[in-house]
Amino acid sequence: QVQLVESGGDSVQAGGSLRLSCTASGYTDGLRCMGWWRQVPGKEREAVALVGGTSSKTRYFEPAEGRFTISQDKSKNMLYLQMNGLKPEDTAMYYCAADEELRFACGPFRDEYKYWGQGAQVTVSS
């Protein structure tokens, strides 16, 4: 079993930056895909950035491209999301997710992720 805990959520002004952290505990050696997702009330949870798979590929999804950076520190079982140039439309609950299935590349399909954190709220004001 794996537990994921997000931190770093906050309220910021538009144009500001935040770094979200995700601490993984439990049997983390088996994790193959990890990533960040976000959700606003009334909308589907969407993938923001993913990392892992046999290709060790990093993937970004609109609108994270060019502004957000995903990174890992496997020695500390940490996953990060650096968010720059934040916009009001980035306001959402951000979730860390992970899965153990070995894939060539990690995909933006919610059902493929077995483990989820409780979320960290990011609020961007104009």
Side-chain angles (χ1 to χ4, degrees):
Q1 196 73 348
V2 172
Q3 295 79 42
L4 303 174
V5 178
E6 302 93 339
S7 61
D10 206 346
S11 297
V12 296
Q13 295 282 333
S17 298
L18 278 177
R19 188 176 82 155
L20 300 181
S21 299
C22 174
T23 304
S25 61
Y27 183 62
T28 59
D29 287 349
L31 296 179
R32 297 292 179 260
C33 282
M34 295 192 73
W36 290 96
W37 298 64
R38 71 184 190 185
Q39 188 170 22
V40 296
K43 291 191 175 181
E44 292 291 319
R45 193 169 297 187
E46 62 178 357
V48 175
L50 307 171
V51 63
T54 57
S55 62
S56 295
K57 188 176 180 180
T58 299
R59 299 182 67 182
Y60 294 95
F61 300 88
E62 181 67 25
E65 293 180 294
R67 297 188 299 128
F68 296 179
T69 303
I70 188 171
S71 61
Q72 281 181 295
D73 185 339
K74 292 186 177 181
S75 67
K76 297 180 181 179
N77 292 323
M78 297 292 295
L79 183 73
Y80 303 100
L81 184 69
Q82 178 66 43
M83 304 186 291
N84 298 327
L86 284 162
K87 305 174 182 179
E89 50 265 44
D90 294 317
T91 295
M93 186 72 78
Y94 284 72
Y95 296 91
C96 176
D99 196 65
E100 298 154 328
E101 187 167 340
L102 188 61
R103 300 183 177 89
F104 175 72
C106 302
F109 308 108
R110 182 177 174 177
D111 291 346
E112 291 184 351
Y113 293 82
K114 181 177 180 180
Y115 303 108
W116 292 85
Q118 294 300 305
Q121 179 67 39
V122 172
T123 302
V124 185
S125 57
S126 57

